[in-house]
Amino acid sequence: NDKRTLQNTVLKYYPYLLLDVKYPESSKTREGVLLWGLNDGEMVLNTETWETTHGFRDCLECNANRSDFKILHVLVRRQGTISIEDLQKELQVERDVLNAWIESAKKKHLIVQKGNALQLHFENPKLLVTPQTKIKQQLVSKPLSDGQKVARTYSRSQILDMTQAAFGNDFKIRGETEIFLPVYSLEILNPDGSVQVSEWNALTGQRIVPRYLSKA
């Protein structure tokens, strides 16, 4: 408009790992696909809204293992806090084994201890999820004629190792493909000479809010 000017538009491609998976659910085996961000470290729950999990990035950063996730899953089911005694009853392990698990999770800053109580070290976590992404669009391939690929923050092996730890031994990855999400980066010149950069999901049309602005 007359006050703000579009200076530049850049098309970026963010990398994702698309996994063909199967996993147990109740008395059945489910098959589906799982979309995981190689840049933000989170799983996409639904491609229509691009809703994602919250907390797996922290788990990737600290190389969370199976015992860490066992504790995290119990805490999520218990609304984020539990006594050590109740945790032992839930997990049914020896106290010395549990103490080692707790110390490991504390050192990784996944949980904190207050007296005899343990609590999640996340705000509004989304960790206890079904390992399947709801895909609402047909996937297409297209030669890269313009735009730029965004560098991966996390490797394929990091994602695969963590999904196995998070979803258990019966979780099976049958195949994998790297795909890319197109994102528009817009540079807007303000009247005072400052430049505002915003990114927009080209699939959903929604603005991608930076992590530091996502809090109310």
Side-chain angles (χ1 to χ4, degrees):
N1 56 33
D2 58 347
K3 293 183 179 180
R4 306 173 73 209
T5 306
L6 176 64
Q7 281 200 314
N8 193 25
T9 301
V10 178
L11 181 59
K12 298 181 179 180
Y13 294 93
Y14 280 82
Y16 285 80
L17 200 58
L18 183 68
L19 305 176
D20 178 14
V21 303
K22 62 179 181 179
Y23 57 94
E25 186 178 77
S26 300
S27 59
K28 297 181 179 180
T29 290
R30 300 287 186 184
E31 300 177 355
V33 292
L34 184 58
L35 190 59
W36 213 289
L38 292 168
N39 182 262
D40 66 2
E42 299 290 347
M43 169 187 162
V44 179
L45 300 174
N46 189 323
T47 61
E48 188 171 30
T49 61
W50 216 259
E51 178 188 4
T52 65
T53 55
H54 174 63
F56 283 110
R57 175 175 171 267
D58 296 66
C59 296
L60 278 170
E61 293 286 349
C62 70
N63 297 315
N65 57 30
R66 184 64 185 139
S67 63
D68 295 322
F69 276 105
K70 286 182 177 180
I71 293 176
L72 294 177
H73 289 165
V74 172
L75 280 165
V76 171
R77 289 195 295 268
R78 291 295 193 95
Q79 285 75 51
T81 184
I82 193 173
S83 68
I84 296 177
E85 289 76 18
D86 287 343
L87 181 62
Q88 184 178 9
K89 293 176 183 176
E90 287 269 0
L91 296 178
Q92 297 182 347
V93 294
E94 297 295 330
R95 186 59 177 265
D96 57 342
V97 173
L98 179 61
N99 287 340
W101 288 4
I102 291 172
E103 288 305 311
S104 172
K106 285 165 57 180
K107 287 179 181 179
K108 296 174 182 178
H109 302 286
L110 298 172
I111 63 174
V112 293
Q113 183 174 354
K114 294 185 177 180
N116 198 42
L118 303 173
Q119 69 181 46
L120 283 173
H121 203 13
F122 301 90
E123 183 178 2
N124 301 321
K126 289 183 184 177
L127 290 170
L128 198 59
V129 295
T130 301
Q132 183 171 348
T133 300
K134 294 180 180 179
I135 304 287
K136 297 293 184 178
Q137 300 88 353
Q138 180 71 37
L139 298 181
V140 298
S141 60
K142 181 182 179 181
L144 181 62
S145 57
D146 59 352
Q148 54 186 247
K149 287 184 179 180
V150 176
R152 304 175 189 87
T153 305
Y154 305 101
S155 69
R156 161 192 169 274
S157 60
Q158 283 180 290
I159 301 296
L160 298 186
D161 289 345
M162 190 193 61
T163 55
Q164 202 67 62
F167 301 123
N169 295 329
D170 294 325
F171 173 76
K172 171 67 176 177
I173 298 174
R174 302 187 297 183
E176 58 186 84
T177 307
E178 188 173 15
I179 67 174
F180 294 86
L181 171 72
V183 171
Y184 287 107
S185 177
L186 309 181
E187 291 185 6
I188 305 295
L189 177 64
N190 296 318
D192 63 359
S194 62
V195 176
Q196 177 183 356
V197 179
S198 61
E199 292 192 334
W200 299 77
N201 184 318
L203 188 66
T204 66
Q206 298 173 336
R207 182 176 179 179
I208 300 173
V209 181
R211 189 176 297 113
Y212 61 86
L213 293 178
S214 60
K215 302 298 182 184

